[in-house]
């Protein structure tokens, strides 16, 4: 069966796609241009800017720092948030309604207030880590919470876990075994999606990094900020590289999801 | 002989009485149906038997063994859920094997058991399919197979057909009956659908407000309801109070009458018969396939009459007068 779509609808779809791709394409084009003034297209193309940036050891370290911090934060988030959301969903529905309300806190509280709070918490024992990279890792975890909560929760709701738990009790399958063999594999795509979205978010995070670890720990965004006056071209290269890495991670995550879905 | 015996099962939730002293005996090999409107306690009763909820009081004996204190898995009970509750990431075969693997059986034994059960539910060719690749009816057959493969002493079915559409529901209903006969498995099925109850149940318990209103065979429940609630819940019989029935037949009568629409006969009663004769006017006529449904009125009483239809026979039109008779033997008075 084929459905006929209204031409205007198709046109809108294309327009939306172009609108979303345009900044990415323009940034990429700018990153490989030799000059771009007065015309709709750049005057010449070269990869020199990439050469400059990619061979800059300061850039390499900044990129590595961002990836390590984001990776550690996501690892902690998976370890802490996922079990908490599952446990609340399965065994403590009353707690779950509170989680649903608190989930937006990291977005709802003004960042500046959060920062002041974090600075105080991390400047006194037992968490006297002020200015150390560990602070960034620890504060990124709650920042990941909303996206993890929403994705894990949606996956769980699609499962009808109450009936699954009851069915497995009658079949003599323990809760832990059901979790390991059925529930976790089934919500894995949701977790992977949360990881990808949060990774992209953390890679482009600037305010936390700037305020909590300042100049002692230059992340990708801070490096970009430092380069802002040098050349728009170099900034475009950094953004393009950052886009590519995010794309790569997304691709890897979806491959992983696809493989577990067809294998298990 | 009693195989499953429930005695004085009671449960309350705050001030709400959910189960009010339920006594029930089910014989071995019987398909017993719990029928009632939503909120009558039928599902809670089923879940009490399974051990998924713990009643406040009462005893449950299955095959001579007290099971009310046992963990669900130790009761020897299989259960089929309304929404199938299949493990979505596993194939049909893995779904069936998951429970068996707990019993530390040899792989070969597990495979043989699964093949045998898949044959019973006619799903041999779907062994490697995943739940999302199956239709609703197939999913429910997998759920049934998953319960059967553990060879339970008792099978519980919680509205197993209600999530399916009408066509498939009917087919699966017949198949369920066939499988239950073939395996000889004592079963309890919960439903709010009277057609399902009447066509599946060897015996039916009609429940109302946490109590069993009547336990009997299908025809008994249909033609001889124990009380007004059962009479109203089953079928669409004319239920006339003593006063209404007296007016209809034109003489004094002191019992409530339950008369099924298809039990009226057209034409005059013969001399000296004990039939009640009523001269009625047709108010409304609906020709619906193999039956014609009339709404009639006599002496100010409105009632429903149903007659078999035939291609070349006309039917009465609204406004026409006719004579119908009521046979006391085919009516129920209480």
């Amino acid at each position: 069966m084929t459905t006929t779509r209204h031409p205007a609808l198709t046109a809108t779809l294309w327009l939306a796609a172009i609108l979303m791709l345009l900044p990415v394409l323009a940034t990429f084009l700018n990153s490989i241009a030799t000059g771009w003034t007065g015309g709709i297209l750049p005057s010449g193309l070269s990869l020199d800017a990439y050469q400059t940036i990619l061979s800059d050891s300061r850039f390499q370290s900044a990129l590595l720092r961002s990836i390590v911090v984001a990776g550690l934060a996501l690892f902690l988030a998976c370890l802490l948030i996922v079990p908490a959301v599952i446990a609340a969903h399965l065994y403590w529905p009353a707690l779950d309604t509170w989680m649903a309300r608190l989930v937006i806190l990291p977005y709802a509280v003004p960042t500046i207030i959060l920062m002041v709070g974090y600075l105080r918490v991390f400047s006194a024992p037992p968490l006297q880590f002020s200015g150390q990279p560990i602070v960034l890792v620890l504060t990124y975890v709650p920042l990941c919470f909303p996206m993890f909560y929403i994705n894990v929760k949606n996956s769980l709701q699609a499962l009808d876990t109450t009936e699954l738990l009851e069915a497995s009790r009658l079949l003599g399958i323990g809760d832990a075994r059901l979790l390991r063999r059925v529930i976790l594999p089934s919500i894995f795509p949701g977790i992977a999606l949360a990881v990808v979205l949060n990774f992209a978010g953390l890679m482009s995070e600037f305010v936390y990094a700037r305020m909590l670890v300042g100049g002692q720990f230059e992340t990708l965004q801070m490096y970009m900020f430092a380069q802002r006056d040098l050349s728009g071209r170099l900034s475009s290269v950094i953004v393009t590289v950052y886009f590519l890495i995010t794309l790569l991670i997304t691709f890897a995550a979806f491959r992983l999801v696809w493989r577990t879905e067809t294998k298990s | 002989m009693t195989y499953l015996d429930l005695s004085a099962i009671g449960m309350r939730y705050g001030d709400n009485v959910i189960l009010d002293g339920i006594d029930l005996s089910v014989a071995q090999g019987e398909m017993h149906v719990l029928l009632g409107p939503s909120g009558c306690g039928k599902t809670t009763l089923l879940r009490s038997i399974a051990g998924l909820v713990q009643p406040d009081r009462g005893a449950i004996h299955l095959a001579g063994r007290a099971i009310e204190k046992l963990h669900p898995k130790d009761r020897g009970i299989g259960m089929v859920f309304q929404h199938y509750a299949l493990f979505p990431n596993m194939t049909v075969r893995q779904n069936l094997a998951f429970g068996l693997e707990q019993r530390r059986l040899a792989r070969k034994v597990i495979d043989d058991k699964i093949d045998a059960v898949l044959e019973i539910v006619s799903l041999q060719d779907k062994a490697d399919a995943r739940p999302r690749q199956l239709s609703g009816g197939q999913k429910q057959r997998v759920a049934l197979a998953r319960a059967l493969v553990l060879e339970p002493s008792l099978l519980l079915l919680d509205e197993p057909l209600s999530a399916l559409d009408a066509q498939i529901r009917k087919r699966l209903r017949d198949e369920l009956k066939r499988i239950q006969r073939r395996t000889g498995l004592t079963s309890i099925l919960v439903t709010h659908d009277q057609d399902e109850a009447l066509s599946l149940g060897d015996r039916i318990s009609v429940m109302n407000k946490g109590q069993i209103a009547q336990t009997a065979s299908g025809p008994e429940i249909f033609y001889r309801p124990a009380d007004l609630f059962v009479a109203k819940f089953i079928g669409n019989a004319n239920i006339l109070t003593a006063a209404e029935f007296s007016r209809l037949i034109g003489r004094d009568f002191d019992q409530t009458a339950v008369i099924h629409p298809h039990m009226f006969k057209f034409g005059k009663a013969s001399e000296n018969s004990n039939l009640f004769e009523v001269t009625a006017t047709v108010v409304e006529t609906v020709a619906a396939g193999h039956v014609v449904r009339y709404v009639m009125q006599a002496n100010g009483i409105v009632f429903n009459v149903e007659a078999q239809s035939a291609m070349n026979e006309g039917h009465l039109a609204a406004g026409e007068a006719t004579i119908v008779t009521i046979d006391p033997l085919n009516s129920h008075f209480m």
Side-chain angles (χ1 to χ4, degrees):
Chain A
M1 197 179 76
T2 55
T3 47
T4 49
R5 295 181 196 87
H6 197 275
L9 207 64
T10 316
T12 317
L13 216 62
W14 275 106
L15 199 69
I18 290 167
L19 269 176
M20 281 194 283
L21 279 175
L22 203 59
V24 183
L25 279 178
T27 309
F28 172 68
L29 219 52
N30 192 39
S31 73
I32 55 169
T34 51
W36 196 351
T37 42
I40 195 158
L41 286 173
S43 46
L45 301 176
S46 113
L47 289 173
D48 288 353
Y50 279 88
Q51 183 78 43
T52 316
I53 288 290
L54 291 178
S55 61
D56 181 359
S57 64
R58 209 176 133 197
F59 168 78
Q60 291 164 4
S61 323
L63 180 63
L64 195 66
R65 283 190 202 106
S66 276
I67 291 177
V68 169
V69 167
L72 281 176
L74 286 170
F75 176 73
L76 272 181
C78 284
L79 223 60
L80 294 172
I81 300 172
V82 175
V85 177
I86 294 175
H89 180 84
L90 293 185
Y91 303 112
W92 291 286
L95 203 66
D96 193 45
T97 54
W98 275 104
M99 256 198 207
R101 284 172 208 158
L102 294 175
V103 70
I104 54 156
L105 267 190
Y107 295 160
V109 177
T111 313
I112 187 71
I113 293 176
L114 266 178
M115 288 309 114
V116 173
Y118 281 145
L119 285 171
R120 284 188 66 163
V121 166
F122 291 114
S123 62
L127 297 168
Q128 205 161 12
F129 305 132
S130 195
Q132 295 173 32
I134 181 76
V135 170
L136 209 50
V137 174
L138 291 179
T139 52
Y140 276 173
V141 174
L143 200 59
C144 295
F145 183 51
M147 208 67 92
F148 268 97
Y149 179 80
I150 291 164
N151 280 295
V152 173
K153 185 79 188 165
N154 281 345
S155 313
L156 284 172
Q157 270 163 349
L159 267 187
D160 197 350
T161 44
T162 318
E163 267 201 352
L164 286 180
L165 271 175
E166 291 182 344
S168 63
R169 270 171 206 166
L170 280 157
L171 294 170
I173 297 157
D175 287 13
R177 224 173 122 77
L178 180 77
L179 269 170
R180 194 160 42 83
R181 291 274 307 271
V182 177
I183 295 183
L184 277 179
S186 299
I187 66 169
F188 180 70
I191 299 174
L193 187 64
V195 167
V196 168
L197 289 170
N198 275 314
F199 180 80
L202 294 183
M203 287 297 281
S204 56
E205 206 290 317
F206 175 70
V207 179
Y208 277 50
R210 172 93 175 159
M211 298 199 68
L212 293 175
V213 293
Q216 299 154 43
F217 189 74
E218 194 176 55
T219 61
L220 187 63
Q221 293 300 318
M222 273 150 62
Y223 173 78
M224 218 164 101
F225 183 70
Q227 304 294 318
R228 74 194 182 284
D229 293 330
L230 289 183
S231 136
R233 191 121 313 125
L234 295 180
S235 297
S236 299
V237 172
I238 299 168
V239 171
T240 307
V241 170
Y242 148 67
F243 271 151
L244 280 176
I245 290 171
T246 311
L247 195 72
L248 226 66
I249 299 272
T250 312
F251 192 69
F254 279 113
R255 249 189 82 92
L256 200 66
V257 168
W258 181 77
R259 267 196 17 218
T260 47
E261 279 206 329
T262 48
K263 193 186 69 192
S264 74
Chain B
M1 198 195 83
T2 298
Y3 183 68
L4 173 73
D5 185 62
L6 309 180
S7 61
I9 305 288
M11 188 174 171
R12 50 169 63 233
Y13 192 79
D15 283 342
N16 276 342
V17 177
I18 314 283
L19 297 174
D20 188 6
I22 301 270
D23 295 308
L24 179 66
S25 296
V26 177
Q28 185 153 22
E30 176 179 339
M31 170 71 104
H32 195 92
V33 174
L34 298 177
L35 174 68
S38 51
C40 71
K42 57 190 192 298
T43 296
T44 308
L45 183 59
L46 194 79
R47 292 162 61 82
S48 305
I49 301 170
L52 294 173
V53 293
Q54 197 59 49
D56 303 328
R57 59 193 169 86
I60 306 172
H61 285 80
L62 178 60
R65 196 167 64 117
I67 61 164
E68 72 271 6
K69 299 267 191 306
L70 298 180
H71 186 276
K73 72 172 177 356
D74 300 321
R75 297 188 178 203
I77 289 176
M79 186 159 170
V80 173
F81 293 82
Q82 189 173 357
H83 301 291
Y84 327 124
L86 298 178
F87 306 121
N89 60 323
M90 296 182 170
T91 64
V92 169
R93 181 172 289 280
Q94 288 167 332
N95 261 280
L96 301 196
F98 202 15
L100 284 172
E101 283 163 8
Q102 305 301 305
R103 305 197 169 175
R104 313 203 177 285
L105 301 169
R107 193 74 234 175
K108 176 85 175 70
V109 178
I110 291 180
D111 282 339
D112 288 349
K113 280 178 189 283
I114 291 173
D115 288 335
V117 170
L118 284 178
E119 193 262 322
I120 292 177
V121 299
S122 323
L123 279 177
Q124 299 99 312
D125 55 334
K126 295 288 180 195
D128 297 315
R130 272 165 212 285
R132 64 163 178 274
Q133 297 165 317
L134 302 175
S135 69
Q138 289 170 334
K139 278 185 209 166
Q140 199 52 294
R141 271 147 64 197
V142 175
L144 181 62
R146 189 177 63 181
L148 291 177
V149 81
L150 293 177
E151 292 160 8
S153 314
L154 177 70
L155 180 67
L156 305 179
L157 302 127
D158 183 12
E159 308 226 8
L161 305 175
S162 66
L164 305 168
D165 53 52
Q167 281 287 322
I168 297 168
R169 189 156 60 216
K170 239 181 193 149
R171 268 225 314 274
L172 198 61
R173 189 175 76 192
D174 298 340
E175 199 170 325
L176 197 61
K177 181 117 187 167
R178 180 182 64 75
I179 291 169
Q180 196 266 335
R181 286 274 175 277
R182 180 171 162 187
T183 55
L185 196 54
T186 312
S187 310
I188 299 182
L189 182 142
V190 159
T191 184
H192 59 263
D193 180 334
Q194 49 156 313
D195 285 338
E196 208 170 293
L198 291 169
S199 48
L200 279 174
D202 294 321
R203 285 194 312 151
I204 300 167
S205 290
V206 182
M207 289 185 67
N208 182 29
K209 293 180 183 155
Q211 294 180 321
I212 292 180
Q214 184 176 11
T215 296
S217 70
E220 182 81 17
I221 296 244
F222 190 78
Y223 287 109
R224 300 277 178 265
D227 60 20
L228 208 57
F229 171 79
V230 179
K232 281 182 177 160
F233 192 73
I234 299 279
N236 53 344
N238 296 289
I239 299 166
L240 302 171
T241 62
E244 286 171 336
F245 193 63
S246 302
R247 267 175 73 191
L248 182 70
I249 60 174
R251 74 175 99 140
D252 277 343
F253 199 84
D254 59 0
Q255 280 181 300
T256 299
V258 179
I259 310 157
H260 283 279
H262 67 283
M263 282 303 170
F264 288 90
K265 295 271 186 300
F266 284 85
K268 288 178 77 70
S270 56
E271 296 275 328
N272 299 326
S273 75
N274 60 349
L275 304 185
F276 302 118
E277 194 179 283
V278 176
T279 305
T281 315
V282 175
V283 178
E284 200 182 303
T285 302
V286 178
H290 68 291
V291 292
V292 187
R293 296 198 186 95
Y294 298 106
V295 178
M296 294 191 184
Q297 197 200 36
N299 307 327
I301 305 294
V302 176
F303 56 99
N304 296 308
V305 175
E306 209 173 273
Q308 294 290 319
S309 72
M311 179 68 209
N312 299 317
E313 265 173 41
H315 47 72
L316 296 169
E320 282 186 68
T322 184
I323 293 174
V324 292
T325 59
I326 301 160
D327 185 347
L329 291 176
N330 285 330
S331 309
H332 181 57
F333 304 104
M334 56 191 186

